[in-house]
Amino acid sequence: MTRKQQRQLFILFVFFSLLFLFRVVTLTSDTDSLSSSLWSSSEAGTGNVRIARGSKSNRSDERRDRKEPLNSDTLATKTKAATRNTPQRNDIPSSNHQAEGNNLIACDKNKGESTELLSIPEFWDERNKCSHYFKNDTIFFHVGKAGGGTVGFSLDKYKIAISKNHPAPRSQSVQQLMEGPEPASLIINVRDPVDRFVSAFQWRMIVLCSPDDKRKRNSNGAAQRPHQQCKDSPAYNKEEKMLREKYKSSPSVLGEALCDESGKRTAAVEDASMIGHSLQLVQWLDFLVEPELIAEVTENGIRDFMALPLEKQEGNDSPLFEKHLDQLSLALLEQRYGREVATRIIESTPETVGASEQKKEMLEHSSVQFNNSTKPPPLTKLGECCLSRHLEKDYRLIQSMLGDVDEEGVLIEPLGNAHPVIGNACKWGSDEQQKLCRADLRSILTRRAVYLDHSEGTCSEVVSRMQ
């Protein structure tokens, strides 16, 4: 073959190669158009769409959107652009989404970083690993020895994820509740302050290692398995020795030392602050109680304040805590979907094996298994009175939670200048739930009001007249 023929063949090869590449590009463009058409059809027909959340600003926009109840149309419209380049899952059970309409709910995944629209039955399918993700704008202050573990169990049952703070408030959460950048709801569990203090005292006596303890020491699992393990460190040993030796393993001895007339109050106050889970309500909520901190709370801070009272009212065999918890889950879901869909979600919650036994255990305080610490405290009347006065600010805060207008009257003096949102503690859920919440808080105050009336004299004088 001559050089000229070789050159002609090379030119033909280049020409056909370019023609082939041009054809490939054209086919790809046609495929993309067809793909976009299929995406549009999928959004209109099935609603089985994954939402990819991107930047912080995008997540903030979505949080603002979620203040209104969601349905398949509004959620798909808001996220259409974000979902165009995200492939659909193939392992999700098929269903007629178009027929079910508003039954579509958000299946949050990967800590809220992505979301799909699914039917309610698909949401509960364990293969889809769904949750209702509220951690961006809902914060739970888990106050120790006040039923907080039970709150977590109940929310987990409904696959509701919120931001939990325990055993003390986190600075990041407090900052969000004060300044934003986005408004947040605050949930807090409330128990009679004296009962909670006594429960904390007894619980520490259980989980802290004593000198001759035979349990496994220095273990992080003591709170879950106190019959096998105990907490051991120099700080824990100091706390255990103080409770066992100085206060004779008795909350009454410490309570009586807290009396103004005991001569031991200053040291007793410091000792009481060392007890684990003894952080007072006014310390948890100092940014809503202390005037200088209240002044820093902006309109982008706390939005809602919701109290969960753990209280056994007189005449009832057990606390009505379960009702508060079911209403809490319903209220959170109602914010997102409206009452009708939220109710269907709650009613469709699958029952697990042994659910009734788990439910019974859930309603019992963690330390009940070992010391029945939710029952009336084994206190002397003097110890009870002095503890009530030591924790007086907590009782006044509970009175403030009932709001400025309490149709049944004021039992004790509320805290002055508390943030107005405190008065909304029971203004959530159904009318029945609000009434029950107020009744529980009043029950707490009624049992201690006699001790909190300083016009009756010292605790010694009050108790002597009771005998």
Side-chain angles (χ1 to χ4, degrees), residues 178-397:
M178 293 180 69
E179 304 173 4
E182 295 300 325
S185 298
L186 174 61
I187 302 164
I188 189 167
N189 52 322
V190 179
R191 187 182 180 192
D192 183 300
V194 168
D195 286 352
R196 190 171 75 84
F197 184 91
V198 172
S199 180
F201 186 108
Q202 294 176 331
W203 182 239
R204 299 305 280 181
M205 291 300 301
I206 291 169
V207 297
L208 300 180
C209 297
S210 60
D212 57 348
D213 217 302
K214 304 301 181 183
R215 294 174 293 178
K216 182 179 179 181
R217 292 173 174 267
N218 197 27
S219 174
N220 293 326
Q224 291 73 38
R225 294 176 292 276
H227 53 292
Q228 298 175 342
Q229 303 172 7
C230 60
K231 294 179 178 290
D232 182 43
S233 73
Y236 289 146
N237 294 342
K238 182 179 179 181
E239 180 184 353
E240 190 277 336
K241 183 177 181 179
M242 179 263 294
L243 296 176
R244 176 173 48 83
E245 293 186 357
K246 188 172 183 179
Y247 297 108
K248 313 302 180 184
S249 303
S250 170
S252 282
V253 176
L254 176 54
E256 292 180 9
L258 288 166
C259 288
D260 290 329
E261 60 268 32
S262 71
K264 306 174 183 177
R265 176 169 169 75
T266 301
V269 168
E270 183 177 353
D271 291 340
S273 67
M274 290 176 54
I275 300 174
H277 296 307
S278 66
L279 196 66
Q280 298 179 29
L281 277 179
V282 289
Q283 294 172 307
W284 277 89
L285 299 173
D286 60 353
F287 63 99
L288 298 175
V289 171
E290 301 295 336
E292 63 275 15
L293 296 178
I294 294 175
E296 299 178 19
V297 178
T298 71
E299 61 181 10
N300 291 325
I302 186 168
R303 179 179 66 219
D304 301 309
F305 180 65
M306 309 163 74
L308 295 171
L310 173 62
E311 168 68 359
K312 180 181 176 182
Q313 295 184 35
E314 186 176 356
N316 291 329
D317 294 333
S318 62
L320 302 176
F321 201 39
E322 180 185 2
K323 290 187 177 181
H324 292 305
L325 301 186
D326 288 341
Q327 284 290 314
L328 173 65
S329 296
L330 179 62
L332 292 175
L333 294 173
E334 187 177 353
Q335 289 178 9
R336 181 176 291 188
Y337 301 109
R339 172 56 67 99
E340 182 180 352
V341 175
T343 301
R344 284 204 293 267
I345 294 172
I346 294 294
E347 292 176 347
S348 69
T349 306
E351 289 291 333
T352 58
V353 177
S356 58
E357 288 78 10
Q358 290 178 347
K359 197 172 188 180
K360 182 178 179 181
E361 292 179 7
M362 174 189 73
L363 296 176
E364 289 188 339
H365 200 265
S366 56
S367 54
V368 170
Q369 303 172 51
F370 307 95
N371 212 326
N372 281 332
S373 61
T374 58
K375 293 183 178 180
L379 290 172
T380 62
K381 290 296 183 181
L382 181 60
E384 183 181 353
C385 178
C386 297
L387 265 177
S388 298
R389 293 191 176 186
H390 171 65
L391 300 168
E392 182 173 358
K393 284 188 177 180
D394 275 8
Y395 287 104
R396 294 178 64 193
L397 176 57

Side-chain angles (χ1 to χ4, degrees), residues 15 129 134 159 220 402:
F15 173 79
K129 299 179 179 180
F134 289 88
K159 294 191 174 183
N220 293 326
L402 289 169

Side-chain angles (χ1 to χ4, degrees), residues 54-257:
S55 65
K56 180 178 180 180
S57 61
N58 287 340
R59 293 196 295 271
S60 298
D61 290 341
E62 182 178 5
R63 290 199 294 271
R64 284 192 292 271
D65 292 338
R66 282 191 173 182
K67 294 175 188 176
E68 298 298 328
L70 300 183
N71 56 46
S72 57
D73 295 331
T74 57
L75 190 53
T77 299
K78 292 172 185 174
T79 58
K80 185 175 181 181
T83 60
R84 278 291 170 86
N85 298 319
T86 308
Q88 291 180 317
R89 285 184 53 173
N90 296 320
D91 59 341
I92 298 174
S94 61
S95 66
N96 187 354
H97 290 296
Q98 190 172 18
E100 293 192 3
N102 286 339
N103 278 357
L104 293 177
I105 61 176
C107 166
D108 297 324
K109 302 184 179 184
N110 302 320
K111 297 182 179 180
E113 291 300 320
S114 64
T115 299
E116 294 180 84
L117 282 178
L118 298 179
S119 68
I120 293 176
E122 287 174 333
F123 177 93
W124 292 114
D125 190 320
E126 291 298 330
R127 291 175 293 177
N128 293 325
K129 299 179 179 180
C130 297
S131 70
H132 303 289
Y133 194 84
F134 289 88
K135 286 192 175 183
N136 292 327
D137 62 1
T138 305
I139 297 169
F140 172 42
F141 279 2
H142 173 174
V143 177
K145 317 318 292 178
T150 306
V151 177
F153 184 97
S154 178
L155 293 172
D156 289 345
K157 179 177 68 173
Y158 296 115
K159 294 191 174 183
I160 294 175
I162 60 178
S163 178
K164 300 175 184 177
N165 286 221
H166 183 73
R170 294 196 300 268
S171 58
Q172 182 179 1
S173 295
V174 173
Q175 182 178 358
Q176 182 179 0
L177 290 165
M178 293 180 69
E179 304 173 4
E182 295 300 325
S185 298
L186 174 61
I187 302 164
I188 189 167
N189 52 322
V190 179
R191 187 182 180 192
D192 183 300
V194 168
D195 286 352
R196 190 171 75 84
F197 184 91
V198 172
S199 180
F201 186 108
Q202 294 176 331
W203 182 239
R204 299 305 280 181
M205 291 300 301
I206 291 169
V207 297
L208 300 180
C209 297
S210 60
D212 57 348
D213 217 302
K214 304 301 181 183
R215 294 174 293 178
K216 182 179 179 181
R217 292 173 174 267
N218 197 27
S219 174
N220 293 326
Q224 291 73 38
R225 294 176 292 276
H227 53 292
Q228 298 175 342
Q229 303 172 7
C230 60
K231 294 179 178 290
D232 182 43
S233 73
Y236 289 146
N237 294 342
K238 182 179 179 181
E239 180 184 353
E240 190 277 336
K241 183 177 181 179
M242 179 263 294
L243 296 176
R244 176 173 48 83
E245 293 186 357
K246 188 172 183 179
Y247 297 108
K248 313 302 180 184
S249 303
S250 170
S252 282
V253 176
L254 176 54
E256 292 180 9

